[in-house]
Amino acid sequence: MSLFLVLTFLFYAGSMIGWGIEVFWRRFFSKNNLEKKWINPGFLTGPYLPLYGLSLCVLFLLSFIDVSFVTVEWLQKLMLFVLMAIAITIMEFIAGLIFIKGMKIKLWDYSKNWLNIKGIICPQYSFYWVILSGLYYFLVHPRILEWLYWFTNHLSFSFVVGFFYGVFCIDLCYTFQISAKIREYAKEKQLEVRYENLKDIIRKRNEEFKEKRHFFFALKTNRLSMREILRDIFEK
């Protein structure tokens, strides 16, 4: 079975599962969601988070690293999970930095967390990656090939995955159009827009004007343009 097919499937699965994890985390455990609202997480509109999809692909590739030079078996596993967490943390840092430097958008903010670096990464969430790496290794990795063989033998599910990638590409174009407007304003005013805060403000504005609250289209508002919203927020 080709590596491309494996990674294609894993990106799809990881993006969807990661989105589900984030939805429940923000609803029940996030300290930033005091109202306990259901929040659509992430940069895109649809129910997927590409960072989790890429992370699952990385976990799959790193799971084949040879750590046999460590003689104690449980230390082998621990070293492997730590390496996985470090790799994903680096990837998280690069992704966050690209958006901050290139688009003037901060997708997530760990500024209040202990020993954070630029508010993009911190030890607390790196530790969570260690736990998720362990869960992946013991619960997911042994069954991947079995799932993939099922996937290739069910053309209807192949259509679902293909549909996912089609919607995903459309979503990228739609979201980057909005992000370009945010970047233009942020660059002009020499500021940094916190994406989650912006979505929260738009949600509250829609509730204030008794407009429909959009779970997926969190940046959509019928009353004001994106530039008017940003000007209202930053130029009070």
Side-chain angles (χ1 to χ4, degrees):
M1 189 172 297
S2 69
L3 180 61
F4 174 76
L5 180 60
V6 173
L7 296 180
T8 298
F9 177 82
L10 290 178
F11 180 82
Y12 156 78
S15 298
M16 301 285 285
I17 293 170
W19 182 85
I21 292 173
E22 285 284 342
V23 167
F24 279 93
W25 173 267
R26 291 166 189 255
R27 173 64 175 82
F28 297 106
F29 304 106
S30 176
K31 296 179 181 178
N32 297 322
N33 184 16
L34 299 178
E35 298 174 315
K36 298 301 178 183
K37 297 275 188 179
W38 289 104
I39 296 173
N40 181 19
F43 175 63
L44 297 172
T45 299
Y48 32 73
L49 290 176
L51 183 60
Y52 279 86
L54 290 173
S55 298
L56 189 57
C57 293
V58 169
L59 291 179
F60 173 78
L61 296 172
L62 291 181
S63 64
F64 297 103
I65 291 179
D66 184 10
V67 290
S68 59
F69 60 89
V70 180
T71 56
V72 183
E73 185 177 354
W74 69 269
L75 278 178
Q76 290 180 358
K77 298 294 188 291
L78 180 60
M79 177 176 289
L80 183 60
F81 301 155
V82 170
L83 287 174
M84 289 175 169
I86 290 173
I88 295 174
T89 299
I90 292 172
M91 188 170 64
E92 187 178 26
F93 181 76
I94 292 172
L97 205 59
I98 288 173
F99 273 89
I100 290 174
K101 297 297 183 181
M103 306 191 70
K104 305 299 181 183
I105 294 173
K106 198 166 192 175
L107 293 182
W108 57 85
D109 190 5
Y110 300 153
S111 298
K112 296 180 181 179
N113 293 64
W114 178 67
L115 289 180
N116 74 86
I117 300 178
K118 296 183 179 295
I120 303 174
I121 57 174
C122 67
Q124 178 184 345
Y125 284 88
S126 294
F127 175 71
Y128 293 155
W129 282 120
V130 174
I131 296 174
L132 287 174
S133 297
L135 292 173
Y136 162 80
Y137 186 84
F138 290 113
L139 300 179
V140 178
H141 188 70
R143 296 171 175 80
I144 283 178
L145 290 181
E146 178 185 337
W147 294 344
L148 283 170
Y149 280 119
W150 181 91
F151 163 65
T152 54
N153 290 322
H154 289 75
L155 292 178
S156 57
F157 189 69
S158 301
F159 172 79
V160 171
V161 176
F163 182 77
F164 162 82
Y165 279 100
V167 173
F168 179 75
C169 290
I170 294 172
D171 198 340
L172 277 175
C173 296
Y174 169 79
T175 307
F176 274 112
Q177 282 183 338
I178 296 176
S179 300
K181 298 176 182 177
I182 298 174
R183 179 182 180 276
E184 180 183 356
Y185 180 86
K187 191 174 181 180
E188 177 186 322
K189 301 297 180 180
Q190 294 296 306
L191 51 83
E192 183 180 277
V193 177
R194 287 171 170 78
Y195 204 70
E196 294 300 325
N197 288 353
L198 178 59
K199 290 197 296 186
D200 187 53
I201 289 170
I202 290 176
R203 176 182 63 80
K204 291 178 179 177
R205 293 289 172 87
N206 286 344
E207 290 177 353
E208 179 184 344
F209 294 132
K210 301 188 183 305
E211 293 184 3
K212 181 181 178 181
R213 179 183 172 229
H214 301 277
F215 177 75
F216 285 112
F217 294 91
L219 295 179
K220 183 177 180 180
T221 177
N222 298 323
R223 187 174 291 268
L224 299 172
S225 67
M226 179 56 65
R227 188 174 184 84
E228 289 172 328
I229 293 170
L230 292 168
R231 187 168 58 241
D232 194 27
I233 295 170
F234 294 104
E235 298 181 22
K236 281 186 175 182

